[in-house]
Amino acid sequence: MAKYLFNSITLLYLLINLIGCSGIEKSNTVFFGGKIINPKTKFVVLYSNNLVIDTILLNERNKFLGIYKDLDEGLYHFMHGNENQYIYLEPKDSLMLRLNTWNFDESLVFAGKGAERNNILVDIFLEDESEKKLFYQFNNLKPKAYQTKINSHIQSRLKTFDNYKKNHPKETTAYFNVLKTALTYPMYARIERYPISHVYVSKTLDFPEIDSSFYAYRKDLDFNDNNALMYYTPYARYITNYLYNVTYALGHKPMMSKFSSDFTVDLLQTIDAKINLKDSKNAFLKRTVLDHFQRKSNCNIDQRSFDAFLKLSSNKKDKELVRNLLEDNKTLHKGHKIGGFTISDFTDRSISIKDFTHGKNTVLLFWSKEYISKSFINSRVPFLQRKYPSLNFAVIEIDGSSNSSSRIPNIDIKNQYYMNSKLLKNNFLTSAMHRTILVNKKGVVENGYAAISSQNIYKQLKELSEIN
């Protein structure tokens, strides 16, 4: 308690100090700022859904302050380094945070106007994280026993919601909707995930028999009334698990490493039937067809799935992206020689890709910040380098530059490069989607469309490392 009291006093002092020096008339202005202990970068990025609202620089004391005159009420999230967290902002808020990057979420505390509603969201997130192992163990239970356990937790969380609502009657309906989602949707997501999780944990071949009462809560949910929640993790995870579960219920057997063509097509049609909101529907359609392709981590195209996507999606940009990916996939298959282009290091020295791969089993990861984050690359590549130390890794930004902002933290600069895809005679990167190409010591492609996000990448890299 003393720690939180100290943090609150410190933040309130920071709030007065920062806002007092701004000279801004408050009116409906929103202030968002704070202090970062042990900062990873010199800035904090504020997002609305997947759009950047502002990049806020830290000062010499590692404090920051963003001032916004016309910010709509709703969910936002901020990112610092490789980590992020959600916040709920309203007009006239003065929300200050304090966090230590060595213990990002656990150290995060808010003060100022809007603090209570955000502190409880963080508390819920931390509780959910701490209960993951417990709920994983529950997956070994039979359906009735599992239902009893999960319903007890749901009732406890609904009680938390009722108490907060009673003690904070001036909060908006929109915020209460977010709070209830934060509390209950992780539980509902686990229920939807239970059938396939039970198969994994109990090592059975078939789904458990479940009666309709198991999903009784569904009748009270309407996920077609709030497009804004699509990017909120508890909400999006529930919808995803629900869509997969409904598709499995059409008669598909459990699938472990990859999805069949029939399953993917049925899932796309389930999305089309169940999601009415245009933007949400298009987002789920796109993510499904791309995720299922990348999960395989090879060049094999499931044409039926892509045809179904192109028929069901109404987003022209997404359809163009997929068509470009299909064209890209026609080049650099297993057995092809790699060559005909150069990559540049961060001293602007150009290197022939033929020379770069000569005599070394090589992993070429082409990436664009539009479709994959630095934080994801940073979370995967160092691990893969440690696991397969004999492989020659190159992380290559598509249409990048030697600008220091393009560098990815915690990956040796000697493994980072950039290239100009427009100079390629046969452009295999028109979609700008991340693409990993595995090349043997003789410069011959072993896999033309691997994916570092796939579980199959481990076997593929092991096989590459063993080539003499």
Side-chain angles (χ1 to χ4, degrees), residues 165-410:
K165 190 172 183 180
K166 178 182 177 181
N167 294 321
H168 301 81
K170 293 184 179 180
E171 295 284 12
T172 66
T173 300
Y175 172 73
F176 284 136
N177 186 34
V178 169
L179 178 61
K180 196 167 189 178
T181 298
L183 284 162
T184 59
Y185 272 62
M187 300 294 110
Y188 300 149
R190 289 180 172 115
I191 296 173
E192 298 292 347
R193 181 75 181 168
Y194 166 76
I196 192 69
S197 295
H198 182 77
V199 171
Y200 291 151
V201 174
S202 62
K203 295 180 172 55
T204 57
L205 298 177
D206 293 305
F207 291 117
E209 292 186 13
I210 297 173
D211 63 46
S212 59
S213 67
F214 195 78
Y215 303 110
Y217 69 90
R218 285 179 181 173
K219 69 180 185 300
D220 297 320
L221 302 186
D222 181 2
F223 44 75
N224 281 306
D225 68 346
N226 198 329
N227 224 0
L229 282 175
M230 182 180 70
Y231 294 93
Y232 188 37
T233 300
Y235 181 85
R237 184 176 291 132
Y238 166 73
I239 301 299
T240 299
N241 289 355
Y242 166 79
L243 293 167
Y244 274 80
N245 196 16
V246 168
T247 304
Y248 270 122
L250 296 175
H252 296 281
K253 292 291 185 181
M255 297 175 202
M256 303 299 177
S257 61
K258 63 181 181 179
F259 295 108
S260 68
S261 175
D262 288 343
F263 182 89
T264 302
V265 171
D266 279 350
L267 177 56
L268 293 170
Q269 291 174 343
T270 298
I271 294 168
D272 183 56
K274 298 292 185 180
I275 307 295
N276 297 332
L277 294 169
K278 178 182 172 182
D279 290 346
S280 296
K281 176 182 293 191
N282 286 331
F284 278 110
L285 289 170
K286 173 186 171 184
R287 190 175 74 181
T288 296
V289 75
L290 293 179
D291 282 357
H292 286 205
F293 169 67
Q294 291 168 347
R295 179 183 283 253
K296 292 185 296 184
S297 194
N298 59 48
C299 292
N300 296 336
I301 286 291
D302 178 4
Q303 194 62 48
R304 285 182 58 216
S305 299
F306 282 101
D307 287 345
F309 166 80
L310 292 170
K311 178 182 177 182
L312 297 173
S313 176
S314 61
N315 187 299
K316 292 181 180 179
K317 184 178 178 181
D318 290 351
K319 292 164 83 167
E320 180 183 7
L321 169 69
V322 164
R323 290 190 181 102
N324 286 339
L325 183 148
L326 292 172
E327 286 300 311
D328 293 345
N329 189 63
K330 294 177 181 178
T331 61
L332 291 177
H333 287 189
K334 182 177 173 64
H336 291 179
K337 278 272 190 179
I338 193 87
F341 64 95
T342 62
I343 58 177
S344 299
D345 64 19
F346 278 79
T347 67
D348 288 325
R349 179 174 64 100
S350 293
I351 308 162
S352 160
I353 199 66
K354 185 176 179 180
D355 291 340
F356 183 82
T357 58
H358 179 70
K360 295 169 284 189
N361 293 323
T362 300
V363 180
L364 303 173
L365 168 59
F366 299 91
W367 70 281
S368 167
K369 58 189 174 186
E370 185 176 0
Y371 294 111
I372 188 172
S373 69
K374 291 181 182 180
S375 60
F376 180 75
I377 297 173
N378 184 44
S379 71
R380 295 291 290 154
V381 170
F383 170 76
L384 295 173
Q385 286 179 299
R386 290 192 298 271
K387 192 171 179 67
Y388 306 99
S390 66
L391 296 179
N392 178 34
F393 280 81
V395 179
I396 307 163
E397 184 178 9
I398 303 168
D399 300 326
S401 71
S402 59
N403 188 308
S404 60
S405 66
S406 297
R407 301 182 187 184
I408 301 173
N410 302 324

